[in-house]
Amino acid sequence: MKDKIYDIVIIGGGPGGIGCAIEASAHKIGNILLIEKTENHSNTIRKFYKDNKRVDKDYKGQVITLQGNVDFFDGTKETTLDYFNDLLDNEKIDSIFNTEVEKIIRNKETDLLEVHTSKGIIQTKNAIVAIGKMGKPNKPDYKIPPSIKSQVGFNLDKCSSNEKILVVGGGNSAAEYAYHLADQNNNVTLVYRKPTFTRLNDLNEDLLNKYNGEEKLRLRMNTDIESLENEEGKVKVTFNDGFSVIYDRIIYAIGGTTPVDFLKACGIEVDEDLKPIFDEHQETTAKDVYVAGDIAFASGGSIAIALNHGYHIVNNILRKRGEIFSFTEKFSK
């Protein structure tokens, strides 16, 4: 891989990464490579969205006009994956999966960026970091005893069925974890420290209330956790209301933090909130290194905004190259 020089290497196969790849291909920007650490693109949608779950173009009703060459519409999990499959299949985009990226450094002799991966070093003129924030999930302030760490998770990887499970969090990931686990015949409680949900989309809030009303799961609102203990091999949870309950497993979905160490390894500076610093073209403080998608959102963002990141990035790369282009041609879904 070190012998080939790419024009753009994109790290991350979610909507932001796919949008960048399609935009670059539409304008024949040169050799394009998409790197994804899992076995396929759109891993979050594949792993955490239930079958037939609605996928919205916009986030919480914010209407965004798509500026580039991807005409994305509201759909379902299945139609969204099919659409992204078609886009990637129809364009001349190299892809490698099951590949971790360790860092990006500039070779001072060649002035090229070197993307260090688990499968070797890749040379490129431009790099786009389009990873999610969940590579480093938030963890609670209280201690997690080492003896029960195997029963404490931050995703659904080790979950099965017929367990008593506590899900911690009040966002969309927590909601989706909770009702997915309930559908797998688990006894599920969702605990949230606030009296009402403030960050859920309408669909997830309706489903949670429906499942709670049908006693498929239990909502424990306005309650926080004080401590965890090992109780004969299970997780004893003590709440701030004085009650203690024993669970087989506890799943945290309390948000993700920017993977700061990785950003720094790519030469990207972060601000006081540990968010990457970038300009109006999505270019970071590391020359020719851009950010797109989830990593570039201060809070929540839509698929439409992530796709538009590709428009701005490719626009800037072509501007630097002195090329004149038009964004009039569109692909249709």
Side-chain angles (χ1 to χ4, degrees), residues 23-88:
E23 205 64 46
S25 178
H27 292 282
K28 299 178 175 57
I29 208 162
N31 295 320
I32 306 162
L33 176 65
L34 179 69
I35 304 175
E36 167 58 37
K37 69 177 181 180
T38 65
E39 63 185 12
N40 212 332
H41 68 82
S42 309
N43 182 64
T44 298
I45 294 175
R46 294 178 191 276
K47 189 170 185 179
F48 298 121
Y49 281 43
K50 291 178 62 178
D51 291 347
N52 298 312
K53 182 186 184 306
R54 178 177 170 178
V55 179
D56 294 329
K57 175 178 77 74
D58 299 312
Y59 179 73
K60 289 192 173 181
Q62 56 179 327
V63 179
I64 304 297
T65 300
L66 289 167
Q67 298 171 294
N69 284 281
V70 181
D71 279 342
F72 187 85
F73 302 94
D74 294 343
T76 64
K77 170 184 176 179
E78 291 75 14
T79 62
T80 298
L81 292 175
D82 287 344
Y83 181 48
F84 286 155
N85 282 335
D86 290 342
L87 288 176
L88 292 172

Side-chain angles (χ1 to χ4, degrees), residues 59-316:
Y59 179 73
K60 289 192 173 181
Q62 56 179 327
V63 179
I64 304 297
T65 300
L66 289 167
Q67 298 171 294
N69 284 281
V70 181
D71 279 342
F72 187 85
F73 302 94
D74 294 343
T76 64
K77 170 184 176 179
E78 291 75 14
T79 62
T80 298
L81 292 175
D82 287 344
Y83 181 48
F84 286 155
N85 282 335
D86 290 342
L87 288 176
L88 292 172
D89 288 345
N90 290 334
E91 295 301 306
K92 295 179 180 179
I93 300 166
D94 292 342
S95 302
I96 53 174
F97 298 97
N98 295 312
T99 302
E100 293 274 357
V101 175
E102 301 159 0
K103 60 183 177 181
I104 302 172
I105 62 173
R106 184 173 293 279
N107 186 313
K108 293 182 179 179
E109 293 183 3
T110 64
D111 201 34
L112 293 171
L113 297 171
E114 293 185 346
V115 181
H116 291 242
T117 79
S118 55
K119 295 181 180 177
I121 298 174
I122 301 166
Q123 297 183 100
T124 182
K125 298 174 184 176
N126 301 276
I128 301 171
V129 177
I131 61 176
K133 297 177 183 177
M134 292 306 293
K136 186 180 179 184
N138 287 334
K139 296 183 179 181
D141 295 332
Y142 45 83
K143 181 181 178 182
I144 300 175
S147 61
I148 57 170
K149 281 191 175 179
S150 62
Q151 291 116 290
V152 177
F154 298 87
N155 55 47
L156 304 185
D157 285 351
K158 297 181 180 179
C159 297
S160 54
S161 59
N162 300 309
E163 289 187 316
K164 187 174 182 180
I165 301 176
L166 179 68
V167 177
V168 183
N172 288 302
S173 293
E176 289 159 13
Y177 287 172
Y179 60 68
H180 174 79
L181 290 168
D183 286 340
Q184 303 303 310
N185 297 316
N186 291 292
N187 180 346
V188 180
T189 298
L190 174 66
V191 62
Y192 186 42
R193 58 188 176 82
K194 295 183 179 180
T196 58
F197 293 113
T198 58
R199 297 182 288 125
L200 292 185
N201 62 43
D202 293 340
L203 176 62
N204 280 334
E205 187 160 8
D206 289 345
L207 276 173
L208 271 189
N209 289 327
K210 178 176 179 288
Y211 274 47
N212 183 48
E214 295 175 352
E215 297 184 353
K216 291 184 178 180
L217 58 80
R218 180 188 177 196
L219 298 179
R220 190 164 186 164
M221 307 296 291
N222 202 29
T223 306
D224 212 344
I225 296 174
E226 288 193 344
S227 65
L228 304 183
E229 299 175 62
N230 185 333
E231 182 79 10
E232 297 182 350
K234 295 192 175 184
V235 183
K236 180 181 178 181
V237 180
T238 299
F239 297 99
N240 61 354
D241 57 9
F243 289 95
S244 296
V245 181
I246 296 174
Y247 297 93
D248 295 306
R249 190 175 303 280
I250 180 169
I251 304 295
Y252 288 96
I254 52 178
T257 56
T258 303
V260 176
D261 291 341
F262 175 72
L263 293 176
K264 289 181 177 179
C266 297
I268 300 172
E269 295 179 10
V270 298
D271 62 20
E272 59 185 13
D273 296 319
L274 303 181
K275 307 298 182 185
I277 298 172
F278 54 92
D279 64 17
E280 68 273 20
H281 308 298
Q282 307 296 127
E283 187 171 8
T284 70
T285 53
K287 182 175 176 284
D288 302 323
V289 180
Y290 300 81
V291 287
D294 195 34
I295 194 71
F297 294 136
S299 54
S302 69
I303 289 178
I305 296 175
L307 294 172
N308 281 346
H309 287 167
Y311 167 88
H312 294 292
I313 291 169
V314 172
N315 186 324
N316 194 54

